Amino acid sequence: SPSTLPAAYNSPMPSPHRHRWWPLTYRRSDLPSDLLAGTVVATLLVPQSMAYALLAGLPPQMGLYASVVPTALYGLLGSSRALSVGPSAIIALMVAGALGPLAAAGSPEAAALAGTLALLVAAVYLLLGLVRAGFLANFLSHAVISGFTTSAALVIATGQLLPLTGLSRTPGSGPGGQLVQLVREAGTIHPPTLILGAAALAMLYFFRLGLEPILQRWKLPAPVRGLVTRSGPLAVVILGTVAVAHLQLEEVPVVGEIPAGLPSLGLPLWDTTLASQLALPAVAIALVGFIEGYAVAKALAARERETVDSNTELRALGVANVGAACTGAFPISGGLGRTVVNDAAGARSGLASLVTAALVALTLAFFMPAFRLLPKAVLAAIILVAVLQLVDLKALGRLWRYSRADAFAWAGTFLAVLLAGVEEGILFGAVVALALHLFRTSRPHLAEVGRVGSSEHFRNVLRHSVETWPDLLLVRVDESLYFANTAYLEGRLLEMVANRPQVRHLVLIASAVNFIDGSALESLERLVDELRSAGVTFHLAEVKGPVADRLARTSFLDHLAPGKVFLSTHEAVRELRSSLSSE
């Protein structure tokens, strides 16, 4: 019967994979690796957290608050063994952009609004996790993310030039304004601050690039080398603080008194009017934070033949941001640099994040007075070195050689972030990526195919020497069928038939079709009628199982008769050629 499908299409669906909670499968042998990784990341996170808080326009202790409860909550609930969450440079920049129009940087109002923003970000994560919307990460292409990250990194780096030289940033000034200010006030640069900042930069790059060969010559074990080379931020913090304390550098801008003690629990400030103004930035922060962390977590998991569940990640990040909102912190996400360090140090589970959180908590409880004389120039150097690793200007050239559309998306996002702002840039990039996708898929590639020799393989007639038949037209469509491309498909197929008066059968090969939406189904039914009126019978071949299942639930297969659905192109050619020969 024409309304039936080949038996091979009937197959059971596999059960979905479920992640097991890591404490249920923890191995005691992993404990030393987790302890070491947690310690290494904590030494990096303490100075970075304070630096990123200042970048967000918030008191430095809020960065440390964001590295205790949120980090611990993600460590308990996340599906990635290596992802290390906490403050990040890109998210800090987005937080500064969101809070800037509503409160002065460093003010109590800004600190209170940061908690509101964290709660909104948590709500976005939890909602997306609840509806299992982890696929939304795919709406921001790699080109858009690369352009956004590079542009945002340059914006952050530009903003660190002023504190690195002892100048105060003019509120509300963008990258261009900051460069103009630097040039205009070059005569008032504070030499001791500049020297201190330059020394911190040189030392950080020495730890990153120059120390490894020396340690290898000393034949130190790899874990020890990794611990030493990653301790650059902690070393410059200690040496910078000692320099200010003992070299009488009273005029160097310092962090000042930082409240000691663990963060207190409490609900953040809630004002409906202010929350509505923070809603769009919260969505942007959530999407960027998720993609930033999920991408590196997935890459590291694939290397170890592990998996990371996107929806579990959304829920874990949501709970972690609830923790941030209720402990006087600001939105957090997975950090690229910290995660790579965590993985390289041997993290085997979320216990490494629990160790990191505990060590940061100890720092808050007992060691905060030691940071009173920490120079802001040193924190600026730490940020500068961290974000410059994210700059990838060569990506534009690579994309241009491979895909002009992706290159335009990269360049558009890059310029939008520089000229309009972070949220506007990421929104522009998402719109451009979707527009380019719609443009590409609205004109699907169609290939007339023929048989290669006497084999069962069929290839494009324009690329290979193949056998074709005047009364049989085989066309492969290399795209799923949906409302945006059905008119194009219908028009092209009718045109091809019009140019081949002898054609009696048209076989549409659907091996690349993953779905057919309602509009496309109506278009196919109309195409069947139009071809039938022209004396041509329409058939399908190589229809995927899920697509075949959906077609079987409609009247399309009855409408297709006497056309058929063939399991393979070879089967279609064999049967149709036999029927034509017998006529």
Side-chain angles (χ1 to χ4, degrees):
S1 168
S3 62
T4 60
L5 292 166
Y9 283 115
N10 300 320
S11 58
M13 293 292 290
S15 59
H17 171 76
R18 293 185 179 274
H19 268 275
R20 296 193 66 188
W21 191 32
W22 67 262
L24 299 178
T25 59
Y26 192 75
R27 297 173 300 185
R28 188 178 301 177
S29 59
D30 291 336
L31 182 59
S33 296
D34 281 334
L35 290 174
L36 175 62
T39 303
V40 171
V41 173
T43 62
L44 177 67
L45 191 56
V46 168
Q48 266 193 357
S49 297
M50 292 189 287
Y52 293 156
L54 293 176
L55 175 60
L58 298 168
Q61 68 270 17
M62 291 185 67
L64 295 172
Y65 296 164
S67 306
V68 180
V69 174
T71 301
L73 288 174
Y74 176 83
L76 281 172
L77 303 176
S79 64
S80 170
R81 63 169 180 81
L83 185 64
S84 176
V85 306
S88 73
I90 301 295
I91 299 304
L93 177 65
M94 298 180 75
V95 170
L99 301 182
L102 303 178
S107 65
E109 293 77 13
L113 285 175
T116 304
L117 184 59
L119 193 60
L120 289 171
V121 170
V124 174
Y125 277 134
L126 291 173
L127 178 61
L128 294 178
L130 182 66
V131 301
R132 305 185 66 80
F135 66 90
L136 287 177
N138 300 325
F139 280 90
L140 293 177
S141 67
H142 173 73
V144 169
I145 292 298
S146 176
F148 167 78
T149 302
T150 297
S151 187
L154 290 176
V155 170
I156 295 170
T158 303
Q160 302 315 302
L161 296 178
L162 295 178
L164 202 65
T165 55
L167 300 178
S168 298
R169 176 183 172 183
T170 302
S173 62
Q178 293 165 18
L179 290 175
V180 170
Q181 180 186 348
L182 183 63
V183 174
R184 188 176 60 244
E185 300 179 7
T188 62
I189 288 177
H190 188 231
T193 301
L194 178 60
I195 293 172
L196 199 59
L201 279 174
M203 189 171 181
L204 287 168
Y205 275 110
F206 171 72
F207 269 80
R208 182 175 296 278
L209 303 174
L211 194 55
E212 177 71 18
I214 297 174
L215 299 179
Q216 286 181 345
R217 286 198 299 269
W218 291 352
K219 298 182 179 180
L220 292 178
V224 176
R225 295 200 307 270
L227 180 62
V228 174
T229 56
R230 305 292 184 183
S231 62
L234 184 62
V236 296
V237 163
I238 294 172
L239 293 178
T241 304
V242 171
V244 171
H246 294 282
L247 297 180
Q248 298 180 344
L249 302 177
E250 294 86 359
E251 297 181 4
V252 171
V254 296
V255 170
E257 294 291 342
I258 302 176
L262 298 175
S264 57
L265 292 175
L267 293 176
L269 168 72
W270 184 260
D271 181 284
T272 303
T273 302
L274 293 175
S276 64
Q277 294 177 271
L278 292 173
L280 183 58
V283 173
I285 289 170
L287 288 177
V288 172
F290 173 62
I291 293 171
E292 182 184 10
Y294 181 65
V296 65
K298 186 168 66 172
L300 293 175
R303 193 181 66 188
E304 298 293 328
R305 299 188 178 186
E306 298 169 347
T307 57
V308 177
D309 182 69
S310 60
N311 296 301
T312 300
E313 289 300 291
L314 285 169
R315 293 188 289 268
L317 287 170
V319 173
N321 274 281
V322 170
C326 295
T327 55
F330 57 93
I332 56 93
S333 70
L336 173 62
R338 287 193 309 276
T339 299
V340 172
V341 170
N342 200 33
D343 178 71
R348 301 306 309 160
S349 72
L351 181 62
S353 291
L354 297 179
V355 173
T356 297
L359 292 176
V360 175
L362 287 174
T363 302
L364 272 166
F366 301 108
F367 301 111
M368 293 317 297
F371 295 100
R372 181 177 62 86
L373 297 178
L374 172 60
K376 291 184 178 180
V378 168
L379 294 180
I382 292 173
I383 295 174
L384 196 60
V385 171
V387 299
L388 286 180
Q389 298 175 75
L390 304 177
V391 175
D392 186 12
L393 295 174
K394 294 181 180 179
L396 181 59
R398 293 194 300 268
L399 290 171
W400 183 262
R401 289 189 294 272
Y402 183 74
S403 170
R404 301 289 172 86
D406 283 342
F408 281 122
W410 190 100
T413 306
F414 178 87
L415 292 175
V417 171
L418 283 181
L419 301 177
V422 176
E423 287 83 9
E424 294 82 356
I426 198 67
L427 179 62
F428 177 83
V431 170
V432 168
L434 287 175
L436 290 172
H437 173 73
L438 288 174
F439 176 76
R440 283 192 293 253
T441 58
S442 66
R443 299 175 62 86
H445 177 253
L446 297 178
E448 181 184 350
V449 303
R451 183 167 60 193
V452 179
S454 59
S455 71
E456 297 183 9
H457 298 289
F458 293 80
R459 294 293 185 269
N460 192 329
V461 298
L462 299 179
R463 293 178 178 270
H464 302 271
S465 177
V466 295
E467 179 185 6
T468 59
W469 303 270
D471 45 10
L472 177 59
L473 178 60
L474 308 173
V475 180
R476 189 187 71 236
V477 55
D478 294 331
E479 187 59 69
S480 294
L481 305 181
Y482 71 116
F483 65 90
N485 61 22
T486 53
Y488 177 82
L489 173 70
E490 185 178 350
R492 282 292 310 278
L493 290 179
L494 291 174
E495 179 185 355
M496 295 170 78
V497 169
N499 293 331
R500 301 274 295 274
Q502 293 178 279
V503 168
R504 300 278 302 281
H505 295 275
L506 187 154
V507 179
L508 184 66
I509 303 168
S511 55
V513 176
N514 294 316
F515 70 90
I516 300 174
D517 74 356
S519 298
L521 183 62
E522 291 182 5
S523 181
L524 289 178
E525 291 176 343
R526 187 167 57 249
L527 182 62
V528 169
D529 294 334
E530 292 173 334
L531 291 172
R532 184 181 292 134
S533 66
V536 178
T537 305
F538 181 75
H539 309 270
L540 291 171
E542 302 188 24
V543 180
K544 293 184 176 180
V547 178
D549 292 342
R550 293 175 68 90
L551 292 178
R553 295 198 294 268
T554 71
S555 60
F556 174 77
L557 297 178
D558 293 320
H559 189 81
L560 183 65
K564 296 182 179 181
V565 179
F566 294 100
L567 185 63
S568 68
T569 306
H570 173 70
E571 179 184 301
V573 170
R574 184 179 58 190
E575 182 172 329
L576 295 176
R577 289 296 300 152
S578 176
S579 66
L580 288 169
S581 299
S582 63
E583 292 179 359

